[in-house]
């Protein structure tokens, strides 16, 4: 049986719908680069879908390999505490799904380099 893969971009969420626009663009850009992988957005709070409901929907669709990318600049309590607890619960609820989480985007050297390039470019 073929493995069905998904990539979840996990963001904080906000009350203003416009806040999600850059995350939606990131999702669309990523989906265009990986058409064979389902790319979705999930939120910690204030917006839908939340991570548990999205994992439930993906699992129901037969997806059995999910990578979660925390799209956070800093590794605050949400990434360090809330996310691991959520993932532990999801692994128990969906043992058939391989759930992997990578470092927060802001902890990645290439992401920081791109942001630094942007900041330096602002001086021009």
């Amino acid at each position: 049986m073929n493995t069905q893969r998904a990539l979840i971009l996990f963001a904080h969420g906000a009350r203003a719908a416009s806040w999600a626009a850059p995350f939606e663009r990131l999702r669309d850009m990523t989906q265009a680069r990986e058409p064979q992988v389902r790319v979705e957005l999930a939120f910690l709070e204030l917006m839908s879908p939340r991570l548990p409901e999205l994992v439930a929907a993906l699992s129901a669709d037969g997806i059995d390999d999910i990578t979660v990318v925390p799209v956070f600049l800093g590794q605050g309590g949400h990434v360090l505490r809330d996310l691991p607890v959520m993932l532990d619960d999801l692994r128990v609820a969906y043992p058939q799904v391989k759930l992997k989480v990578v470092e927060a985007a802001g902890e990645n050297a290439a992401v920081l380099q791109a942001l630094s390039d942007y900041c330096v470019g602002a001086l021009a």
Side-chain angles (χ1 to χ4, degrees):
M1 182 170 156
N2 282 345
T3 296
Q4 299 292 315
R5 297 177 68 199
L7 183 63
I8 297 176
L9 308 180
F10 179 64
H12 188 277
R15 285 181 182 84
S18 60
W19 175 90
F23 298 95
E24 291 164 353
R25 287 195 299 274
L26 178 61
R27 176 201 56 211
D28 295 347
M29 290 167 65
T30 305
Q31 184 67 76
R33 294 178 62 180
E34 292 290 337
Q36 73 286 2
V37 175
R38 190 150 148 199
V39 181
E40 300 280 356
L41 273 175
F43 301 97
L44 178 68
E45 58 189 16
L46 304 172
M47 295 183 129
S48 289
R50 302 292 256 313
L51 186 62
E53 67 191 74
L54 180 57
V55 170
L58 292 172
S59 176
D61 285 350
I63 300 219
D64 56 5
D65 186 340
I66 297 173
T67 300
V68 178
V69 178
V71 190
F72 285 73
L73 270 182
Q75 295 233 82
H78 292 315
V79 173
L80 295 174
R81 288 189 302 274
D82 302 342
L83 182 56
V85 169
M86 238 183 280
L87 288 168
D88 286 346
D89 291 346
L90 289 168
R91 286 185 180 110
V92 170
Y94 305 97
Q96 74 282 8
V97 176
K98 177 183 162 211
L99 266 170
K100 177 178 90 170
V101 65
V102 297
E103 66 190 347
E107 299 293 319
N108 180 273
V111 172
L112 288 175
Q113 184 63 52
L115 285 169
S116 176
D117 290 349
Y118 173 71
C119 293
V120 169
L123 294 170

